Amino acid sequence: MKNFEWTEPQTVEQALAWLAKANGKAVLMAGGTDLFTEIKETVVEPDLVIDLKSIPGLASIQKVETGIRIGALTPVAVLAADAMIKRDYSGLSDAAWSLATPQLRNVGTVGGNICQRPRCWYYRDAQMVCRKKGGSQCFAAKGRNKYHAIFGGGICHIVYPSDLAPMLIALDAQVTVSSPRGERSLPLGEFYALPSKNVRRENVLATDELVREVKLPLAKKGTRSAYIKLKERETWDFALVSAAVRGTVSGGGLGEAAIVLGGVAPIPWRLGKTEAALKGKKLSESMIKEALRADLQEARPLEENGYKLQLVEAAVSRALMSLARG
Ligand SMILES: Cc1cc2nc3c(=O)[nH]c(=O)nc-3n(C[C@H](O)[C@H](O)[C@H](O)COP(=O)(O)OP(=O)(O)OC[C@H]3O[C@@H](n4cnc5c(N)ncnc54)[C@H](O)[C@@H]3O)c2cc1C
């Protein structure tokens, strides 16, 4: 492992100053549960680690007039156990509970979760210089690709592994980003970028920016949410496919809804055609399967991951039917 320097800024401004000074050679650390695996495996070799944990005020969940503010350093366990989140955004609570193990949820943070790097075994192997690490090919395209993307791959077939990101996008979350130029806020759905835009990164953060908080709009009366995560085994695991849904149901008919998948694409993948096809319809499993058809036609499974198409049907169907049941 390469030696690196370590700093513990006491304010966001100090963290930003360190980031700017390091000119792309620093990494931000929150809980470190993902970052340290990368450093130990020499996938990432920073000159400087900026430990954000000493910055006060970034680890809370607050209700304000315009919505809910979730600080970037809020531990996933705190989000999972929060009574207001459980009541008004139950899908987010379920997504947080589904994540990893109690130890990892205690240490891992919301900001780290939505900025975590992909788990692709070629990317995580220091010997494999794939496109994401500056090489010229994606080894998954013709290699072992059971866990890889069925949508949006193209030049790199990673899947985005976060459990919180699809659910937060379905809930219309905004992300607040700080830089030496001030703060900007953008929909979390626009925070992620496909490999065709920048194969080296999964989001649009500049090298001198950090995530400060995530904001949720106030929950509208009658709106429900659900998160279904399908895994290879019962114990902790990443999603093979997950479905995050939010919507209103009255008289069995679906009102305005959002359906976002995890585990199927390099970014959380929104099913806009399915959402449109189901609007106003009385939900049933056969209706959902039919509505999914247009989005699923755009899937491009690789040799070993065609099974994910069936998992998408199962996850979306279970999530939407749970909304209908209330
Ligand atoms: C065994 C194991 C199982 C796991 N299972 C799951 C799972 O089921 N679901 C899941 O979603 N994840 C899982 N993870 C991944 C990870 O541990 C969690 O996502 C965790 O929430 C990451 O948070 P962290 O604070 O530890 O991030 P860190 O490791 O500190 O950071 C992760 C990345 O985000 C960047 N970062 C951190 N904070 C910020 C910020 N504020 N602004 C900008 N960039 C930032 C870091 O530079 C780093 O690249 C698992 C990890 C392990 C080791």
Side-chain angles (χ1 to χ4, degrees), residues 228-240:
I228 297 290
K229 175 174 178 178
L230 302 180
K231 305 181 291 183
E232 202 163 32
R233 50 191 203 157
E234 280 287 308
T235 183
W236 72 265
D237 211 348
F238 289 91
L240 291 172

Side-chain angles (χ1 to χ4, degrees), residues 120 122-123 128-139:
C120 168
Y122 296 111
Y123 165 71
M128 308 292 287
V129 186
C130 69
R131 276 240 165 91
K132 199 161 254 313
K133 290 184 289 195
S136 59
Q137 58 173 314
C138 169
F139 297 105

Side-chain angles (χ1 to χ4, degrees), residues 7-15 18 51-57:
T7 180
E8 294 176 7
Q10 306 297 305
T11 63
V12 169
E13 290 66 33
Q14 283 174 10
W18 279 110
D51 178 357
L52 300 174
K53 288 198 307 295
S54 305
I55 303 177

Side-chain angles (χ1 to χ4, degrees), residues 268-311:
W269 197 253
R270 189 148 185 173
L271 297 182
K273 291 182 178 147
T274 309
E275 290 169 10
L278 286 172
K279 195 163 181 190
K281 300 273 167 45
K282 199 167 161 60
L283 290 175
S284 69
E285 282 183 20
S286 56
M287 163 69 69
I288 295 167
K289 208 169 161 182
E290 179 63 28
L292 275 166
R293 225 194 269 179
D295 276 315
L296 288 183
Q297 268 169 8
E298 287 170 11
R300 297 287 174 271
L302 302 165
E303 199 178 338
E304 297 177 345
N305 68 5
Y307 72 95
K308 286 197 178 188
L309 293 169
Q310 271 176 294
L311 294 194

Side-chain angles (χ1 to χ4, degrees), residues 2-249:
K2 197 188 107 185
N3 283 349
F4 53 81
E5 289 189 61
W6 181 271
T7 180
E8 294 176 7
Q10 306 297 305
T11 63
V12 169
E13 290 66 33
Q14 283 174 10
L16 292 173
W18 279 110
L19 259 188
K21 204 166 139 202
N23 201 15
K25 300 255 168 63
V27 286
L28 296 166
M29 191 198 93
T33 59
D34 180 38
L35 180 68
F36 275 107
T37 322
E38 288 208 300
I39 293 179
K40 282 190 206 159
E41 289 171 357
T42 68
V43 175
V44 174
E45 297 191 305
D47 287 349
L48 174 70
V49 173
I50 304 172
D51 178 357
L52 300 174
K53 288 198 307 295
S54 305
I55 303 177
L58 294 184
S60 62
I61 301 174
Q62 284 174 286
K63 188 167 184 176
V64 294
E65 216 177 304
T66 50
I68 311 298
R69 300 174 63 175
I70 305 170
L73 290 177
T74 306
V76 175
V78 170
L79 181 70
D82 188 275
M84 175 186 50
I85 297 290
K86 220 180 185 88
R87 188 189 64 221
D88 295 341
Y89 309 90
S90 62
L92 183 57
S93 190
D94 290 347
W97 278 115
S98 82
L99 193 153
T101 61
Q103 292 89 337
L104 286 159
R105 291 195 293 272
N106 282 336
V107 178
T109 65
V110 172
N113 185 270
I114 62 171
C115 294
Q116 65 178 293
R117 305 304 311 274
R119 311 301 298 189
C120 168
W121 41 34
Y122 296 111
Y123 165 71
R124 293 270 167 169
D125 183 336
Q127 311 290 317
M128 308 292 287
V129 186
C130 69
R131 276 240 165 91
K132 199 161 254 313
K133 290 184 289 195
S136 59
Q137 58 173 314
C138 169
F139 297 105
K142 294 207 161 74
R144 305 312 306 261
N145 46 42
K146 178 178 174 184
Y147 300 114
H148 288 78
I150 56 170
F151 292 105
I155 58 168
C156 165
H157 295 83
I158 61 146
V159 295
Y160 201 67
S162 164
D163 282 308
L164 300 184
M167 195 66 243
L168 286 166
I169 292 172
L171 291 169
D172 280 338
Q174 297 263 327
V175 61
T176 305
V177 167
S178 298
S179 78
R181 296 169 295 288
E183 275 192 359
R184 66 185 175 115
S185 197
L186 68 159
L188 188 62
E190 293 170 20
F191 178 71
Y192 294 102
L194 281 169
S196 52
K197 184 157 183 194
N198 180 358
V199 72
R200 303 295 295 269
R201 311 268 311 172
E202 297 77 49
N203 59 47
V204 297
L205 269 188
T207 50
D208 63 352
E209 290 183 315
L210 61 78
V211 170
R212 191 177 190 127
E213 69 178 14
V214 173
K215 283 189 289 194
L216 290 174
L218 288 175
K220 288 193 198 124
K221 203 164 175 276
T223 299
R224 299 172 191 156
S225 60
Y227 185 71
I228 297 290
K229 175 174 178 178
L230 302 180
K231 305 181 291 183
E232 202 163 32
R233 50 191 203 157
E234 280 287 308
T235 183
W236 72 265
D237 211 348
F238 289 91
L240 291 172
V241 169
S242 66
V245 302
R246 186 247 322 142
T248 49
V249 182

